[in-house]
Amino acid sequence: MNRVVSQRMFTWTELMGFVVLAALIFVVLPMTMDVFRLNLFGKYLTYAFVALGLVLCWGAGGILSLGQGVFFGLGGYCMAMFLKLEASSPENTAIQSTPGIPDFMDWNQVTYLPWWWEPFHYLPFALVAVVLVPVALSFVIGVAMFRRRVGGVYFAIITQAIAAILTILIIGQQGYTGGVNGITDLRTMLGWDIRTDDAKVILYFVNAVLLFACLFMAHFVRRSKLGRLLIAIRDREDRVRFSGYDVANFKIFVFCLGCAFAGIGGAMFTLQVGFMSPSFVGIVPSIEMVIFCAVGGRYSIFGAVYGTLLVNWAKTALSESFPELWLFAMGALFIGVVLAFPSGVAGLYNDWIETPIRKALRRSRGPVIAEPAVQQPNPAE
């Protein structure tokens, strides 16, 4: 019986977690909000992709990356390049000195389209690049760091430095990247106007479906042998290495997977918001993304989504009511949650709702069903 229970893909609490979250995202939010607010929550959900990747990397694997904005931005820029080229047809740019190239290139006296922009004329290439470009960079970083057993705070600092470097590079190459303004004035995708209310609603649901696909993938990874090995690596890396496993390969894989999630989120952000700029790539947004994960609970894939929605909603509400104080309020929220609830919102749910219900069910059924494998936070982290 224990073996049967342990092989189930979903426990009843996990299944209910998917159902409740789906009801919130697919039913409650669309039915209670106008298009503007729904588009706003759609933007919040794009950050949830990054928080979900951090749950795998940080919560399960013990890999804290402070540069996830890099991969979010790379995915967003790949999509923005395609949309910008479509908006820069010779007819739409006839008033430029060089028609057929993006407007910011013309303003910076660039008279030809760079070769690395050319493939982004094609949507299939852009869609593949949204995932492969972040994965390629994360693979290089992972091999360089994990093969040399660089981890912990050193890895966090290095990823933060990479975020700063990429931001400086994007701003400095204004003629090819749009500089500090980024890539703006994105209008259509294959002739479909993404600025209309109908398009915003459709993109919200597309975003939600993709997020659930990533949630299922993350859940599968955590329930598999790979997920158990990641937790073992997080808690006792040396013992796993001495057991004959190549720890670096596991770390590289989960880091790349988290960065692929971030790239998808960045692309959906560009589609829903209509631009991409370096302000979403640097150190500050990267740290904010870690806050989303920490507030929601870095050990819970559902907590990542709820934490992202909660923090961004609070950020919007506080900035609207207290435009000069909202940053302090956000800092207080983060410090308070981390100090009082180390496992975030998900920890509160586990302590006050799930555990009492499970105990009540156990008392009613008797001591037959074994506890599923639940990862516990490492007090030393």
Side-chain angles (χ1 to χ4, degrees), residues 117-284:
W117 270 75
E118 290 288 351
F120 288 94
H121 279 293
Y122 308 101
L123 180 59
F125 179 87
L127 294 178
V128 172
V130 161
V131 176
L132 284 191
V133 172
V135 167
L137 179 60
S138 60
F139 179 78
V140 172
I141 295 171
V143 170
M145 297 295 108
F146 300 134
R147 290 291 182 195
R148 292 171 174 79
R149 300 187 184 182
V150 176
V153 66
Y154 300 104
F155 182 81
I157 293 173
I158 289 171
T159 51
Q160 197 170 50
I162 292 172
I165 292 169
L166 187 64
T167 304
I168 295 170
L169 184 64
I170 292 174
I171 295 175
Q173 297 298 317
Q174 184 169 335
Y176 302 106
T177 62
V180 69
N181 295 320
I183 301 178
T184 60
D185 194 24
L186 309 177
R187 306 169 188 171
T188 61
M189 185 173 69
L190 298 179
W192 180 50
D193 194 339
I194 61 174
R195 299 166 295 179
T196 64
D197 288 348
D198 290 341
K200 290 176 181 176
V201 173
I202 292 173
L203 286 172
Y204 170 85
F205 283 105
V206 171
N207 185 42
V209 170
L210 288 174
L211 178 60
F212 264 79
C214 292
L215 275 168
F216 280 117
M217 187 178 296
H219 178 74
F220 174 76
V221 169
R222 283 161 50 90
R223 297 284 291 182
S224 66
K225 182 180 179 181
L226 170 62
R228 294 191 290 274
L229 276 171
L230 287 173
I231 295 171
I233 291 171
R234 179 195 67 191
D235 295 339
R236 293 291 185 270
E237 181 174 332
D238 288 341
R239 291 189 181 181
V240 177
R241 184 177 289 111
F242 293 154
S243 298
Y245 292 101
D246 191 331
V247 171
N249 283 344
F250 291 109
K251 285 187 169 184
I252 292 169
F253 173 79
V254 74
F255 183 53
C256 290
L257 183 61
C259 294
F261 288 171
I264 296 171
M268 292 309 302
F269 177 91
T270 300
L271 282 169
Q272 294 189 93
V273 178
F275 72 96
M276 175 52 68
S277 76
S279 61
F280 302 102
V281 175
I283 294 175
V284 173

Side-chain angles (χ1 to χ4, degrees), residues 23-38:
L24 173 68
I25 293 177
F26 288 102
V27 180
V28 176
L29 293 180
M31 291 183 66
T32 57
M33 294 187 174
D34 57 25
V35 175
F36 173 77
R37 290 289 174 184
L38 189 65

